[in-house]
Amino acid sequence: MTDFEPVIGLEVHVELRTRSKMFCGCSADFGAPPNTHVCPVCLGLPGALPVVNRQAVVYAMRAALALHGEVAEETRFDRKNYHYPDLPKGYQISQYQHPISTGGHLDVHRPDGSVLPVRIRRLHMEEDTGKSLHEGVPAGQSGVDFNRCGVPLIEIVMEADVHSPEDARLTLQTLRTIILYTGVSDVRMEEGSLRCDANVSLRPAGTTAFGTLVEVKNMNSFRSVQRALEYEVRRQTAALEAGERIARETRHWDERRGITFSSRSKEEADDYRYFPEPDLGALRIERAWAAAVSATLPELPEVRHGRYVAAGLTAYDAGVLVEDPPLGDYFDRVSGVAARTACSWVTVELLGRLNARGESIGDTRVSPEWLADLVRLVEAGTISAKQGKDVLDVMVAEGGAPEAIVRARGLTQISDEGALSGTVREVLAANAAVVSDFRAGKDKAFGFLVGQVMKATRGQANPALVNSLLRKELES
Amino acid sequence: MSQPQLWEMPLHALHRLLASGAARAEEVCAAFWDRAAEQDPHLHAFLSVRPREEVLAEAAAVDRARAAGTALGPLAGLPVALKDNLSTAGWETTCASRILRGYRPPYDATVVSRLRQAGAIFLGKTNLDEFAMGSSTEHSAFGPTRNPWDLGRVPGGSSGGSAAAVAAGLCPAALGSDTGGSIRQPAALCGVVGLKPTYGRVSRYGLVAFASSLDQIGPFALDVADVATLLGAIAGPDPSDATSARVAVPDYSEALQSDLSGLRIGAPRELFGEGVDEDVRASVAAAIDLLGELGASVGECSLPHVGYSLDVYYVIAPAEASSNLARYDGVRYGPRAAGDDYVSQFAATRGEGFGAEVRRRIMLGTYALSAGYYDAYYDRAQRVRTLIRRDFAEAFERFDALVAPTSPTVAFPLGSRVEDPLAMYASDICSVPANLAGLPALSVPCGLSNGLPVGLQIIGPAFGEMTILRVGAAFEQASDFQGKRPPMAVLGG
C-alpha cells in the first residue's frame, strides 16, 4: 500500500484594527446595530469613490515586515469582480498584480523542539464584505449588514510547506502570535478577525508532483483547522486507496458532524475579471517610509523566544510567555531575580491564582515589581517558600506590597541562630523518646522533630536553619 | 437691435445686471424657468425641473443677501442645470435609466456642493444617453432630446440635454460629463461652448461612473468667458477623489485675451481624415486660418497612433463600465424585479432595468476582461493608450495647443444611427483621443453648415486649460459665429 504525504497551503485573512474602514471614514468597530457604520462609499452608492486609509497601509506593512516580506516600492489595487448580495459594488477592491508585499517566512516551533520553516508567497490588502443576515429578518427573506463592509483585511498566502494537520495548526498559531505582536489585529478566529482556508492535496510519499487541490473552508478555531485537515487527509487517502479520482472542489468543514462536505465544484476556474482599480492611483512606498514603519515594530516572538531560552528558560516556558504577550511583558518586568524562578512564580503561582479568580494578568493587583520583591524575600530566606505563597494569596486578593504584608502578619522567618537554638533544645528536651528513636536509626523521627520546632515558632522558623541546628544538637 | 431678453444673455452679462442692481436674481431665475416651461416640451432637455417657487425662493434669498451687503460667490443667483448623472442629495438622479428610477442620493456630488458654494441656483437635471453611453441622447430611457437648431436632429450626446438647454436659452450654464466626447460633441452640434477639463482637474466624486479612467465633469455655456468662470468654481483637488490632482487652480479669467501672438498651434492630420465631412473640414480649416490671423503660428503635425483611438476606447470604456455597473442589482436602491432567488432576481432586474446599448457595453466589457481574453483586449488596449499619450506628449513639445474638428459631422437626423452602433461610435472619432490621453479639450462654435453648427476643438497639454481657453476666447471674439442662436421659429417661440 502506498503511503501518502499531505501537502497543505494556508491562506489567511486578518482583519486590521484600524479606526476607520479601508476606503472611507466609517468606523471599523464591531458590534454596532446593523447598517449604522455605513456611508455612500462603503455602501457602493453610485458616484462614491474610495480613498485609501493610510493607517491600513501602515498596518499591512507592519504585518509584512514582521513576516520578513519584501514591501513593494509601488503597489496597486485591482478590482475583483463577482456578484453577491453582501458585496455592494459588485466587485471587491483587492490587490492582484502588485501586492504590497511578496516573500517572507515564519518559523514554527514544534513541541518536540524541532522547527518548521514556512515560506510566505504574498501579502495583500483588500476590503471586507458585508454580512448576510438570516435571523432577525422576516421569514423567507435575508438581510445584509454592511457595517463590516469595507473593513480593511490583509490576505497572507503561504507556500505549501506544511505536511501535517498538526503542523498546519501550529503554523496558524505561530502566525497569529506574530500578528498579535505587530498590534495590527486582535486575530481572534472565533470572532472572524482571523480566518483560514486551507488547500490540501495528497501525493505518494517521496514524490514531488502535486495532487488535486481541495480547498477547505469554514474552520473557526485552531482546533477545527487540525480536525478538518485530519478528516480531509483521511477522506482523500481512502479515496485514493480505493482508486478514485479526487475532485477539484471547495469543501466546508462541519464542526458539529466532524466532516467536510462539498460546497462548490472548481472544475471550472473562477473568473474574477481582475483589472487595475481606476479610482485609485498606484501607491508609492518610499524606502524611508518602510524603514520608519519597520523601526516601530516591537521585539518579535522568535527574537523574544531566543532571549528567554538564552536566559535559561526551557523552550516550553519560553513558548508560554511568548504566546501571551501581556504575560511575557509582565514577566519582563519581574526583574532582578533568576529567570527560571521568576517564570515559575509568574506562570505557575500567580497565573494559577488569577485563573482561579477569573482575573487576567492585565488587571491583577499584583504589580510585577511587587512580585519581584516577593521572590527576593523568599530567595533571601526572609520568609519561607510556603510563606511566600501565603503572601501571594494576600497580594492577589487584597493587593499590597509583600514587605508590608509580611510585617503586618508577623510572617518574618526566624533565621537568627541564637533565637532558634533555644527552641530546638526545648523541643529535644520535651521529646526524649523521639530523640532516642532517631539515635536508634529511625530517620522519620527527624522530620517529626523539625515539625515540632516549626509548630513552636508558628511556622516562622527558617526550615533550613532548623535542620542544621537539629542535626548539630543531635550529633553532639 | 432691441434689448436682449434675460434668457438670451450669457452668465457674465447676467452677473453684471445682478451686481449693478439692474435686475434681481428672482427675475433672472423666473425668466429661465418660464422659458424652460415653455420650450422644453419641444426639446426634452430636462428630466426634472425643480418647482418654480423653490427656485425663486432661493433666488430671493440671494437678492436679500446682496441687499444686505453680504459677500457673494461668482455665480450668486444664477441658474445652472446639471446632467442627471451628477448626484444631488434628496433629488432623483436617474442617469436616464429605468434601473435608477426613484433613486435619491443621500449626498451631493463635489461639483454640486462647489456650485452651491459659488451661489448657483439649480434649475433642473438634464437628459443624457443612459449612463452617458451614447452620442445622440437617443439612448435615454425617458425619450430623446432634440436639437434646438433642427428638432428633427439629435443634439449629440451623451450630455445632449445640457447642450440643448444652454443653446435654447433654458438656462445660461450647465454641467455635463465627458468620457469620449460627451461634452464637446453635443456642444459642437448645438452651437455652444463646452469644456472637458484635464483628467483629475475636477473631482468625480458623485458623478455616477461610466468609465472611471476616462470620465471628467465639465461646463457648458454660451461663451468661453462663462466656461472659464464655471471651471474656476468646480475645479481643484478633492480629498474624496483619489484621482483628483493636487494642482492649484489658476484664475482662468486671465486667459481671456484677444491676441494669440507667440502661440504655436498644431493641426494633427489624423483628426482631419476619413469620416470627417467636407463641410466640417472646410469650416475648421477656415477657423485655423483665423487663428493664424490672430497671431498664432499654425502648423500640421501627426499623432501616429491616434487612429486606434476608437478601438482602444471601445475596449477600455466598456470594460470599466461592466464593473462600474455591476452594483445595480435592485438590492439597495432602484426598482427590483421579481425572482425566485438572488440570481434570477438579479438577472430580471438588470434585464428590465438596462437599455440595449448599456447591455451591449456590459457584455463587451465583460468579455474583454475575461480570463484568456484580458491580454488580447484590455491589456493590449492599455498599451496602445500609452502610445497615444506619448504621441500627444511629443506633439506638445512642439505646440502649445492642437486643433481639430470636435465632431466629424454636424447634427444627424434622429433615428439615423440608433440601429447602427458602429456608425454611432464613429461620432466620437475626433473627441476620444483627448479622453484616452487625459487632456483638456474645448469645443467652440466655428460656423454653420446648412444652418447647423460646427465645432472647433482645441486640445491642450495636461492642466493647460489656460492655454486652450485663451485660444478659444480669442477665436470666439474674432469669429462671426458670435451671438448666433438657434432660429426661434423652429422652437415655435
Side-chain angles (χ1 to χ4, degrees):
Chain A
M1 192 161 41
T2 327
D3 267 345
F4 291 103
E5 177 192 46
V7 179
I8 301 170
L10 301 178
E11 290 179 8
V12 178
H13 282 91
V14 175
E15 214 158 46
L16 300 179
R17 270 191 58 87
T18 49
R19 276 217 315 229
S20 54
K21 293 185 179 181
M22 184 80 221
F23 299 114
C24 64
C26 289
S27 164
D29 279 352
F30 300 107
N35 297 314
T36 53
H37 291 175
V38 293
C39 74
V41 176
C42 58
L43 285 176
L45 292 186
L49 296 171
V51 175
V52 176
N53 176 346
R54 192 184 159 89
Q55 195 186 15
V57 176
V58 169
Y59 278 13
M61 281 163 71
R62 282 178 76 89
L65 291 163
L67 293 165
H68 311 287
E70 190 184 325
V71 172
E73 291 189 33
E74 187 174 294
T75 183
R76 287 203 66 105
F77 290 92
D78 296 279
R79 289 189 186 176
K80 179 179 180 178
N81 295 284
Y82 67 95
H83 293 292
Y84 206 70
D86 66 13
L87 189 70
K89 297 190 294 297
Y91 57 85
Q92 178 188 33
I93 305 179
S94 180
Q95 297 195 291
Y96 185 59
Q97 286 190 11
H98 304 284
I100 189 165
S101 172
T102 47
H105 64 91
L106 51 84
D107 288 338
V108 180
H109 293 265
R110 297 195 183 96
D112 67 4
S114 62
V115 174
L116 168 73
V118 178
R119 289 168 300 153
I120 287 158
R121 186 180 304 163
R122 56 183 274 151
L123 181 152
H124 69 252
M125 299 180 275
E126 61 188 26
E127 55 177 343
D128 210 343
T129 62
K131 233 176 190 168
S132 295
L133 302 173
H134 304 289
E135 285 162 22
V137 290
Q141 294 186 24
S142 293
V144 192
D145 176 7
F146 292 106
N147 283 352
R148 196 183 70 179
C149 192
V151 166
L153 295 177
I154 49 174
E155 180 174 345
I156 301 161
V157 182
M158 294 185 227
E159 299 290 355
D161 290 342
V162 174
H163 299 287
S164 80
E166 191 191 2
D167 279 349
R169 173 178 57 79
L170 290 169
T171 302
L172 194 59
Q173 285 173 325
T174 303
L175 177 73
R176 176 189 178 274
T177 306
I178 294 170
I179 300 294
L180 203 58
Y181 270 60
T182 64
V184 304
S185 173
D186 48 18
V187 272
R188 294 196 180 127
M189 275 199 99
E190 290 74 10
E191 292 174 13
S193 55
L194 174 67
R195 298 168 220 160
C196 177
D197 300 335
N199 289 311
V200 196
S201 63
L202 296 190
R203 65 184 173 198
T207 64
T208 53
F210 292 111
T212 305
L213 268 188
V214 171
E215 186 181 28
V216 185
K217 287 180 174 289
N218 196 41
M219 302 171 291
N220 296 322
S221 68
F222 293 110
R223 188 169 156 270
S224 66
V225 168
Q226 184 170 342
R227 285 182 66 207
L229 294 180
E230 282 166 354
Y231 174 84
E232 194 52 29
V233 169
R234 277 199 307 276
R235 185 189 71 83
Q236 291 187 28
T237 305
L240 289 173
E241 282 172 350
E244 292 166 23
R245 204 175 61 91
I246 301 293
R248 183 167 164 79
E249 61 185 354
T250 299
R251 297 180 71 87
H252 256 62
W253 168 244
D254 183 327
E255 180 77 37
R256 198 177 50 77
R257 292 192 290 165
I259 61 162
T260 65
F261 62 90
S262 178
S263 55
R264 194 162 58 117
S265 164
K266 279 195 147 184
E267 292 298 330
E268 284 177 39
D270 296 315
D271 187 355
Y272 291 119
R273 304 190 308 281
Y274 282 102
F275 73 103
E277 166 58 277
D279 288 331
L280 296 168
L283 188 65
R284 285 205 55 78
I285 301 177
E286 302 296 339
R287 295 301 84 186
W289 187 21
V293 171
S294 180
T296 65
L297 281 178
E299 180 186 42
L300 291 171
E302 65 218 71
V303 176
R304 186 176 227 179
H305 193 274
R307 176 162 64 81
Y308 287 157
V309 170
L313 297 192
T314 63
Y316 175 82
D317 281 342
V320 169
L321 293 174
V322 165
E323 266 168 42
D324 186 346
L327 189 66
D329 292 344
Y330 186 98
F331 168 79
D332 285 344
R333 289 171 59 196
V334 181
S335 54
V337 293
R340 262 177 195 258
T341 316
C343 180
S344 137
W345 277 92
V346 171
T347 61
V348 180
E349 301 303 336
L350 177 59
L351 211 53
R353 284 165 174 77
L354 294 179
N355 287 345
R357 296 169 60 88
E359 291 177 13
S360 78
I361 198 78
D363 53 39
T364 177
R365 296 179 183 82
V366 183
S367 78
E369 292 75 19
W370 282 346
L371 189 69
D373 289 345
L374 176 63
V375 176
R376 272 190 294 272
L377 288 175
V378 174
E379 295 274 279
T382 312
I383 56 174
S384 66
K386 165 77 175 67
Q387 285 175 322
K389 290 170 190 175
D390 294 343
V391 171
L392 186 58
D393 283 337
V394 178
M395 290 167 72
V396 166
E398 297 164 19
E403 289 91 343
I405 295 165
V406 166
R407 222 177 303 119
R409 312 222 162 185
L411 287 175
T412 317
Q413 185 167 254
I414 304 168
S415 298
D416 177 34
E417 207 175 311
L420 268 186
S421 48
T423 313
V424 167
R425 276 194 292 273
E426 283 165 28
V427 166
L428 292 179
N431 293 283
V434 183
V435 172
S436 321
D437 285 351
F438 176 77
R439 293 208 162 109
K442 282 196 180 172
D443 284 346
K444 270 168 77 181
F446 186 78
F448 176 80
L449 293 170
V450 171
Q452 291 303 304
V453 176
M454 296 307 287
K455 192 176 168 189
T457 59
R458 296 201 317 280
Q460 283 175 266
N462 181 333
L465 190 56
V466 171
N467 271 355
S468 74
L469 287 174
L470 269 175
R471 286 202 190 280
K472 213 163 80 187
E473 288 291 331
L474 288 168
E475 284 159 15
S476 63
Chain B
M1 200 171 151
S2 62
Q3 175 73 17
Q5 304 275 323
L6 287 173
W7 61 260
E8 291 178 284
M9 298 168 77
L11 281 180
H12 52 84
L14 294 166
H15 177 75
R16 265 198 303 278
L17 289 181
L18 295 181
S20 68
R24 286 176 300 112
E26 204 178 344
E27 287 171 68
V28 168
C29 288
F32 283 98
W33 199 96
D34 293 344
R35 169 81 179 164
E38 177 193 302
Q39 298 296 340
D40 200 48
H42 305 292
L43 293 173
H44 194 228
F46 284 104
L47 289 180
S48 63
V49 175
R50 290 173 69 208
R52 192 173 192 271
E53 58 276 19
E54 209 176 289
V55 171
L56 297 193
E58 269 181 34
V62 173
D63 288 329
R64 282 194 301 276
R66 194 185 299 277
T70 314
L72 295 171
L75 297 171
L78 298 173
V80 176
L82 301 168
K83 188 178 183 178
D84 203 25
N85 61 352
L86 295 168
S87 300
T88 42
W91 186 5
E92 194 176 10
T93 300
T94 65
C95 294
S97 179
R98 279 185 296 274
I99 212 159
L100 277 176
R101 210 168 199 166
Y103 167 63
R104 291 167 199 281
Y107 74 106
D108 275 332
T110 298
V111 289
V112 172
S113 315
R114 288 191 176 167
L115 284 182
R116 211 191 290 284
Q117 203 73 40
I121 291 172
F122 301 124
L123 201 60
K125 301 196 75 177
T126 57
N127 201 7
L128 63 151
D129 287 296
E130 184 176 3
F131 284 100
M133 296 179 187
S135 309
S136 70
T137 317
E138 292 168 290
H139 295 306
S140 165
F142 309 126
T145 296
R146 288 162 187 274
N147 192 316
W149 292 83
D150 178 348
L151 295 181
R153 291 177 185 264
V154 302
S158 65
S159 312
S162 290
V166 171
L170 313 191
C171 61
L175 293 189
S177 66
D178 189 316
T179 306
S182 283
I183 291 173
R184 291 159 287 155
Q185 185 256 14
L189 269 47
C190 290
V192 296
V193 180
L195 171 69
K196 180 201 95 73
T198 307
Y199 186 79
R201 177 70 295 183
V202 176
S203 167
R204 292 184 296 118
Y205 189 76
L207 165 66
V208 180
F210 157 19
S212 313
S213 74
L214 300 160
D215 296 341
Q216 188 62 194
I217 299 167
F220 287 91
L222 290 173
D223 60 28
V224 175
D226 284 359
V227 158
T229 303
L230 290 161
L231 178 63
I234 60 173
D238 176 9
S240 298
D241 177 0
T243 63
S244 72
R246 287 189 200 146
V247 176
V249 180
D251 179 358
Y252 292 113
S253 68
E254 286 175 10
L256 311 173
Q257 306 163 9
S258 53
D259 179 45
L260 295 180
S261 41
L263 218 61
R264 300 162 303 167
I265 293 175
R269 71 178 72 93
E270 292 82 1
L271 297 180
F272 292 80
E274 207 183 323
V276 178
D277 276 3
E278 204 43 59
D279 278 6
V280 169
R281 199 176 298 161
S283 187
V284 172
I288 293 172
D289 290 344
L290 183 53
L291 294 175
E293 289 167 28
L294 292 168
S297 61
V298 183
E300 211 183 77
C301 68
S302 173
L303 302 168
H305 300 94
V306 88
Y308 300 110
S309 293
L310 277 185
D311 311 73
V312 169
Y313 178 83
Y314 278 99
V315 171
I316 292 175
E320 293 181 6
S322 72
S323 175
N324 283 330
L325 271 62
R327 69 191 65 195
Y328 304 108
D329 57 4
V331 169
R332 295 165 308 281
Y333 44 81
R336 182 189 303 178
D340 294 335
D341 53 23
Y342 174 67
V343 174
S344 60
Q345 182 183 297
F346 178 82
T349 298
R350 290 166 68 85
E352 293 168 20
F354 289 136
E357 181 60 25
V358 172
R359 290 203 304 271
R360 170 159 41 233
R361 296 203 195 189
I362 290 173
M363 285 188 279
L364 274 173
T366 303
Y367 182 81
L369 289 175
S370 296
Y373 298 100
Y374 181 90
D375 290 346
Y377 293 102
Y378 188 79
D379 192 57
R380 195 176 174 83
Q382 288 291 10
R383 280 184 285 136
V384 178
R385 185 179 182 179
T386 303
L387 296 176
I388 292 170
R389 266 202 195 107
R390 206 171 292 163
D391 284 355
F392 275 105
E394 282 168 16
F396 283 117
E397 285 172 13
R398 293 171 50 214
F399 297 101
D400 301 304
L402 303 178
V403 288
T406 303
S407 159
T409 68
V410 293
F412 44 89
L414 280 160
S416 63
R417 297 187 186 178
V418 87
E419 299 299 332
D420 184 355
L422 291 181
M424 188 71 93
Y425 296 171
S427 311
D428 303 329
I429 194 161
C430 299
S431 51
V432 155
N435 297 84
L436 293 174
L439 302 175
L442 179 73
S443 180
V444 291
C446 67
L448 290 173
S449 164
N450 296 321
L452 295 169
V454 176
L456 167 69
Q457 183 178 205
I458 308 158
I459 305 171
F463 302 99
E465 279 84 357
M466 279 293 237
T467 308
I468 60 174
L469 290 169
R470 179 181 165 199
V471 174
F475 174 79
E476 172 183 82
Q477 283 161 41
S479 138
D480 58 5
F481 188 88
Q482 179 84 322
K484 285 207 172 80
R485 301 299 292 271
M488 292 304 112
V490 178
L491 289 185

